[in-house]
């Protein structure tokens, strides 16, 4: 799941980014409102964490512009503005949640999970295909009742596939949601991790392939 952090305090950004990466999210950063709007225009984010007091374009204006064209993406305001009036305005302008600084990181991640569950009511609590199950809450993956140990990146990749079954996902789609906007590593990283996943998911010879390569297009998760 891909999250955009819009915040100009670099020390706080580093803490948030590190913590969210450890929670298996892909993270993009915008240090001002202008950059945030540019990123939002070209990327499909699963959640936006938005400070109100940011340079160039203030956070409330960013929120208003987002809600003019996008009513679905969850937005969490994370700000030092603590007045009752500020909270009312933020929620009235379309924010899904309002958290004031200082804050608990565990509370922030709990609220992110709650918003993502609310925004995907059709998603079952346990994702599955064939005899494979993935539990996002417990981070448990099983196939034919056999537990499968995955790295955090492999888990994120499998979860993305399972949430988008029967859809062709390009390498760009996968990089943006499982890695992040600024990834500059190996060019074949997606193919490499798909190979890792396929090997780990083959717990027996009778297991059917569930991740298929669509030559020239990308990958699709299906039976």
């Amino acid at each position: 799941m891909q999250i955009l952090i819009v915040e100009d305090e670099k020390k706080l950004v580093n803490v948030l980014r590190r913590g969210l990466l450890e929670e298996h999210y892909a993270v993009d950063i915008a240090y001002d409102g202008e950059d945030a709007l540019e990123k939002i225009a070209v990327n499909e984010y699963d959640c936006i964490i938005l400070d109100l007091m940011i340079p160039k374009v203030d956070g409330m204006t960013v929120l208003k512009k987002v809600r003019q064209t996008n009513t679905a993406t969850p937005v969490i305001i994370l700000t030092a503005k603590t007045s009752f009036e500020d909270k009312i305005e933020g929620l009235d302008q379309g924010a899904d949640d309002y958290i004031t600084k200082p804050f608990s990181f565990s509370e922030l991640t709990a609220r992110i999970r709650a918003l993502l569950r609310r925004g995907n009511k059709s998603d079952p609590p346990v994702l599955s295909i064939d005899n494979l199950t993935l539990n996002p809450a417990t981070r448990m993956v099983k196939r034919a009742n056999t537990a499968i140990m995955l790295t955090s990146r492999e888990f994120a990749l499998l979860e993305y596939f399972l949430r988008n079954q029967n859809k062709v996902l390009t390498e760009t789609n996968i990089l943006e949601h499982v890695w992040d906007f600024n990834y500059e590593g190996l060019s074949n990283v997606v193919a490499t991790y798909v190979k890792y996943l396929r090997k780990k998911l083959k717990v027996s010879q009778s297991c059917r392939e569930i991740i298929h390569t669509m030559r020239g297009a990308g990958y699709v998760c299906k039976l």
Side-chain angles (χ1 to χ4, degrees):
M1 310 296 280
Q2 190 176 31
I3 294 178
L4 174 66
I5 300 172
V6 187
E7 169 65 68
D8 64 331
E9 293 182 38
K10 293 191 176 182
K11 184 179 291 186
L12 176 58
V13 167
N14 291 335
V15 171
L16 287 173
R17 184 178 186 275
R18 184 168 60 251
L20 290 172
L21 289 174
E22 289 175 356
E23 292 289 325
H24 313 295
Y25 295 108
V27 181
D28 278 358
I29 307 297
Y31 291 106
D32 60 68
E34 187 176 284
D35 187 28
L37 290 172
E38 290 176 357
K39 283 184 165 67
I40 292 166
V42 298
N43 294 288
E44 183 181 341
Y45 293 105
D46 299 292
C47 184
I48 299 170
I49 298 173
L50 176 66
D51 185 20
L52 295 180
M53 296 181 287
I54 50 176
K56 296 188 178 179
V57 180
D58 67 88
M60 199 66 74
T61 301
V62 170
L63 177 60
K64 292 176 184 178
K65 289 182 177 295
V66 168
R67 286 299 181 239
Q68 287 173 2
T69 57
N70 183 340
T71 59
T73 301
V75 177
I76 299 175
I77 290 177
L78 182 62
T79 180
K81 288 191 171 185
T82 61
S83 75
F84 188 64
E85 291 76 17
D86 287 325
K87 292 180 182 180
I88 291 175
E89 183 182 8
L91 294 171
D92 281 348
Q93 292 300 333
D96 297 272
D97 207 341
Y98 194 108
I99 302 176
T100 57
K101 303 173 183 175
F103 64 97
S104 161
F105 182 76
S106 59
E107 179 186 1
L108 173 63
T109 54
R111 295 194 185 200
I112 291 172
R113 290 193 298 270
L115 286 175
L116 293 177
R117 286 196 301 270
R118 190 183 75 185
N120 295 278
K121 291 182 179 178
S122 61
D123 287 350
V126 175
L127 305 173
S128 64
I129 185 173
D130 194 29
N131 57 355
L132 171 72
T133 60
L134 179 149
N135 189 320
T138 63
R139 302 283 171 180
M140 290 292 295
V141 176
K142 291 184 178 181
R143 189 159 199 190
N145 292 319
T146 300
I148 301 173
M149 300 302 295
L150 300 178
T151 66
S152 60
R153 194 70 70 185
E154 290 166 350
F155 185 95
L157 178 57
L158 180 58
E159 182 179 4
Y160 186 53
F161 275 126
L162 292 177
R163 290 188 184 277
N164 293 276
Q165 292 182 41
N166 301 308
K167 295 180 183 178
V168 176
L169 303 174
T170 67
E171 289 199 356
T172 299
N173 294 148
I174 295 169
L175 280 172
E176 289 178 351
H177 281 80
V178 179
W179 279 263
D180 59 44
F181 184 77
N182 296 311
Y183 178 77
E184 296 180 350
L186 298 174
S187 60
N188 65 337
V189 67
V190 173
T192 299
Y193 272 81
V194 167
K195 181 180 178 181
Y196 293 160
L197 260 187
R198 284 172 172 161
K199 183 176 180 180
K200 289 189 176 183
L201 297 180
K202 192 77 171 177
V203 297
S204 72
Q205 290 301 315
S206 61
C207 288
R208 291 187 285 180
E209 189 69 67
I210 61 170
I211 302 174
H212 305 270
T213 301
M214 308 297 288
R215 194 171 298 279
Y219 301 90
V220 62
C221 177
K222 66 177 183 179
L223 291 176

